[in-house]
Amino acid sequence: MIRFLSGLAFISLLMAKDKFGVTGVVRNATGEGIKKVELSIFDMEGEEVKSSKSKKGGEFKFKKIEPGDYSLYGFHKKEGTGEIEFTIVESDLELELTIYLEAETEEDAAEEETVEISAEETIEEADKESVLLPQQREQPSKALLKFDETFFEYESNLKALKSEIDSLKSVVKGYEKSQTMPNLDRKILDLISVPAFHHRIELQNGTVVTGDILEESDSTLVLQTQIGKLVLKKEMVVRMEEFERPAPKVIFLGDPFIDYYPDRQIFSGRVKNVGEIRADFVRVIGNLFDQTTTNSGTDSIFVKGSRIVYDTNVIADTALEPGQTANYTLTIPIKKGRKVQYHTMDIHWDETQ
């Protein structure tokens, strides 16, 4: 009977060790234990296994965790977030999780405030210039010239008339300066068809024809030109080439430098406009993916380039002139419970010229 009870106790002990406990403490960046931190354990598939909150001194405890690979994620609304990975094999495990607070630097905030204030001042100055016009000088009224007055009285009246004419000239110039081109509706501009031909053909007699090649045979070319279709004999063609319309083109200068954190990745690098005209509103876009190609985070940022005042009175410093380079620093937050495996980078821009 005693042997039977001993065997039963040994089997129960083995069964109890199929699952293990995870204990530890949560600390902030200064090493202080933080309570009321929301904690979650995720498996490698991103599924939540256990959840709890840290107690006084940052201590926490999870029971009955099966052996395997996991990640512990912590969140506190004032202290920030943190994440660590761990593996349970055949024993209980003790962990230490550190959480960090991501905040904007004072220099970046001051710089954005300076740009915003300067933009507002520029708009106010532009409004003042468009409203204020030179005013006509007020002259004291003079008595009407009488026919019986002597001849020298005309001299003072001619000076007054000249003064009035000069004043009127300044007023007219002020009104002419304030005149601007009328704003056209975008729908009207879209109705104006501007041909954009892709071929340039030079003939034996020196004539240069631009258009689109519609048909081509062994002996002839059918070309669509601005005045209609034109049939050319190939024996008359000296040179035929394609040309592209000038356009902006922004590229990355090398691979970005990446700072890895548990809850984010920071990309920094340089871009350059290698096109022939200006690129407006240049924006760097980044995406993070896990091993199953699921999006684990995405964000974008405008680069700081040349300051441009557009026809719509919009003022921005996100344009790149031909040959100009600019730095960028892009922070992409990682979605909760995701493990990033790779990333992609892209550049978007507009053309307003």
Side-chain angles (χ1 to χ4, degrees), residues 135-181:
Q135 303 296 319
Q136 184 177 356
R137 292 193 299 270
E138 295 183 359
Q139 297 292 337
S141 59
K142 293 183 178 294
L144 296 176
L145 183 64
K146 298 180 180 179
F147 291 102
D148 55 352
E149 292 181 351
T150 56
F151 179 76
F152 70 89
E153 291 293 333
Y154 285 101
E155 184 177 357
S156 61
N157 286 276
L158 289 175
K159 290 181 179 180
L161 182 61
K162 184 177 182 301
S163 177
E164 292 291 334
I165 293 175
D166 292 340
S167 179
L168 289 172
K169 284 182 179 179
S170 63
V171 174
V172 171
K173 289 180 180 179
Y175 279 111
E176 289 177 349
K177 184 178 179 181
S178 66
Q179 298 300 313
T180 58
M181 290 295 293

Side-chain angles (χ1 to χ4, degrees), residues 35 54-55 81 123 177 188 197 200 203 251-252 267 269 279 303-304 311-312 315:
K35 64 179 181 178
S54 62
K55 299 180 180 179
T81 60
I123 293 174
K177 184 178 179 181
I188 297 177
F197 300 125
R200 180 180 183 275
L203 305 180
I251 62 172
F252 289 102
F267 298 80
V303 303
K304 187 173 183 180
D311 295 337
T312 58
I315 302 175

Side-chain angles (χ1 to χ4, degrees), residues 24-71:
V25 63
V26 184
R27 304 183 186 277
N28 59 11
T30 61
E32 181 183 357
I34 304 301
K35 64 179 181 178
K36 295 184 179 181
V37 178
E38 297 182 3
L39 300 170
S40 298
I41 294 180
F42 297 90
D43 59 18
M44 291 299 97
E45 302 298 327
E47 298 293 334
E48 186 178 52
V49 178
K50 295 280 187 177
S51 63
S52 180
K53 287 187 178 181
S54 62
K55 299 180 180 179
K56 184 177 180 181
E59 296 181 355
F60 64 87
K61 183 176 182 180
F62 293 94
K63 298 180 179 179
K64 297 181 180 181
I65 306 297
E66 297 181 353
D69 296 328
Y70 300 93
S71 64

Side-chain angles (χ1 to χ4, degrees), residues 191-207:
L191 295 176
I192 302 175
S193 178
V194 179
F197 300 125
H198 300 86
H199 296 88
R200 180 180 183 275
I201 300 175
E202 184 177 351
L203 305 180
Q204 291 179 351
N205 59 3
T207 304

Side-chain angles (χ1 to χ4, degrees), residues 86-294:
F86 63 92
T87 302
I88 297 179
V89 183
E90 295 179 351
S91 62
D92 296 338
L93 193 63
E94 185 174 353
L95 303 174
E96 181 174 322
L97 175 64
T98 304
I99 59 177
Y100 300 91
L101 180 63
E102 179 182 1
E104 183 182 38
T105 63
E106 296 181 357
E107 295 180 357
D108 293 340
E111 183 177 357
E112 292 180 359
E113 183 178 359
T114 302
V115 173
E116 182 178 357
I117 293 175
S118 62
E120 291 178 355
E121 292 178 352
T122 304
I123 293 174
E124 290 179 358
E125 292 176 359
D127 292 340
K128 291 180 180 178
E129 292 179 357
S130 63
V131 173
L132 296 179
L133 295 172
Q135 303 296 319
Q136 184 177 356
R137 292 193 299 270
E138 295 183 359
Q139 297 292 337
S141 59
K142 293 183 178 294
L144 296 176
L145 183 64
K146 298 180 180 179
F147 291 102
D148 55 352
E149 292 181 351
T150 56
F151 179 76
F152 70 89
E153 291 293 333
Y154 285 101
E155 184 177 357
S156 61
N157 286 276
L158 289 175
K159 290 181 179 180
L161 182 61
K162 184 177 182 301
S163 177
E164 292 291 334
I165 293 175
D166 292 340
S167 179
L168 289 172
K169 284 182 179 179
S170 63
V171 174
V172 171
K173 289 180 180 179
Y175 279 111
E176 289 177 349
K177 184 178 179 181
S178 66
Q179 298 300 313
T180 58
M181 290 295 293
N183 294 327
L184 297 179
D185 191 349
R186 176 60 61 181
K187 295 181 180 180
I188 297 177
L189 293 177
D190 293 338
L191 295 176
I192 302 175
S193 178
V194 179
F197 300 125
H198 300 86
H199 296 88
R200 180 180 183 275
I201 300 175
E202 184 177 351
L203 305 180
Q204 291 179 351
N205 59 3
T207 304
V208 176
V209 182
T210 58
D212 292 329
I213 297 177
L214 300 179
E215 297 180 11
E216 182 177 3
S217 64
D218 295 335
S219 59
T220 61
L221 287 173
V222 178
L223 196 69
Q224 179 66 48
T225 67
Q226 192 170 359
I227 60 175
K229 293 183 181 180
L230 184 64
V231 181
L232 301 175
K233 293 183 179 181
K234 280 192 173 181
E235 60 187 18
M236 299 174 57
V237 177
V238 176
R239 185 181 294 105
M240 181 174 60
E241 58 187 7
E242 294 185 5
F243 62 91
E244 295 182 355
R245 174 174 167 269
K249 183 179 181 181
V250 184
I251 62 172
F252 289 102
L253 295 179
D255 295 328
F257 180 82
I258 308 174
D259 289 325
Y260 297 92
Y261 295 92
D263 59 335
R264 67 191 185 280
Q265 290 187 6
I266 302 177
F267 298 80
S268 57
R270 295 175 62 83
V271 295
K272 181 178 181 180
N273 182 10
V274 296
E276 299 180 8
I277 63 176
R278 186 184 71 216
D280 298 293
F281 307 106
V282 180
R283 182 163 57 103
V284 178
I285 303 173
N287 293 282
L288 303 178
F289 300 90
D290 60 15
Q291 59 185 359
T292 61
T293 69
T294 301

